[in-house]
Amino acid sequence: MSNSSYSVGICGEWGLGKSSFLNLFKKQVEASGDICIKFCPRSSKDVSCIQEDFFKLYAQCLRRYHSGMGDLIENYVQSLSLVENSWYGKIALLWTQICSHNQIGHVNIAIKKIKRRIYVIVEDLDRLTGEEIVEVFKLVDKNGGFNNTIFLTAYDKKYINSVLRAFLNHDAATDFSDKYFNYEYSLPSQSPN
């Protein structure tokens, strides 16, 4: 974990207790001295703000442990900016990829200095549109993949994969979520005793 990120999907139907599970997990993480960041992509103004909102929250929370984290994250986010599809844009894209690799390296060095594991709880994935789910997947899979960071994302697996199949107009036999999470944990059904 000290040299990579990890992603865990917490699966269960609506009302099964995913949020309660994550709230208990958050208390345990905070009691251990590690860092827990709760991110709700539904709070973003629109889909284009999801990643920006995440990075602002991430920087704000980690600034307490490393004073330069805000600038490091801001430089990294700027290095992720998109470029047009011309020959100049392709050269700029190559430069952007080199810069983003350097910038994520600086962020990861700062994270090592913090000496704490960072847990990011992403709630309500199963209340997002297909476009919003894809944006969160990009964040978890690549852009937010900082060292020593673990993403825990709660969702109804059947529902989000159905939404993604419709949004992507793709009748995949496998579930999209399988490609984006290192591990999926299904909450057990509760018996009414």
Side-chain angles (χ1 to χ4, degrees), residues 10-188:
I10 307 298
C11 305
E13 294 176 4
W14 285 355
L16 195 59
K18 297 181 299 290
S19 293
S20 296
F21 176 88
L22 290 175
N23 288 333
L24 291 170
F25 183 84
K26 182 177 186 283
K27 284 183 184 179
Q28 191 169 5
V29 165
E30 290 170 343
S32 74
D34 284 330
I35 300 166
C36 193
I37 301 169
K38 203 167 187 178
F39 176 61
C40 185
R42 275 193 322 159
S43 298
S44 293
K45 184 170 69 173
D46 60 54
V47 68
S48 65
C49 296
I50 289 174
Q51 293 206 29
E52 181 183 345
D53 290 346
F54 166 76
F55 289 119
K56 281 181 185 174
L57 178 64
Y58 193 85
Q60 175 187 353
C61 291
L62 296 186
R63 196 174 280 133
R64 293 180 226 149
Y65 305 95
H66 190 287
S67 61
M69 189 59 79
D71 292 335
L72 293 172
I73 296 288
E74 185 177 320
N75 291 340
Y76 172 63
V77 170
Q78 286 176 357
S79 73
L80 292 175
S81 60
L82 298 174
V83 293
E84 75 270 2
N85 194 19
S86 64
W87 68 270
Y88 174 77
K90 290 177 183 175
I91 292 171
L93 178 60
L94 177 61
W95 178 250
T96 298
Q97 289 171 341
I98 292 167
C99 287
S100 69
H101 180 73
N102 289 339
Q103 296 302 328
I104 199 168
H106 295 306
V107 172
N108 285 331
I109 289 168
I111 288 172
K112 272 193 176 178
K113 290 178 181 176
I114 292 172
K115 296 182 180 177
R116 295 171 194 245
R117 186 155 287 160
I118 302 159
Y119 294 89
V120 177
I121 293 176
V122 181
E123 281 207 280
D124 296 336
L125 190 66
D126 52 12
R127 286 173 171 72
L128 302 178
T129 66
E131 186 178 14
E132 291 167 332
I133 293 170
V134 168
E135 201 64 21
V136 171
F137 279 178
K138 286 193 295 187
L139 179 67
V140 169
D141 183 50
K142 184 74 175 152
N143 293 344
F146 302 118
N147 291 351
N148 216 21
T149 300
I150 301 166
F151 285 90
L152 284 98
T153 307
Y155 52 90
D156 181 323
K157 184 173 180 164
K158 193 157 84 173
Y159 176 81
I160 67 157
N161 284 294
S162 170
V163 168
L164 286 172
R165 281 187 190 95
F167 173 70
L168 298 170
N169 196 22
H170 194 283
D171 195 25
T174 61
D175 289 327
F176 292 99
S177 60
D178 293 345
K179 297 175 183 357
Y180 291 95
F181 296 99
N182 299 107
Y183 178 77
E184 284 185 316
Y185 174 74
S186 294
L187 291 180

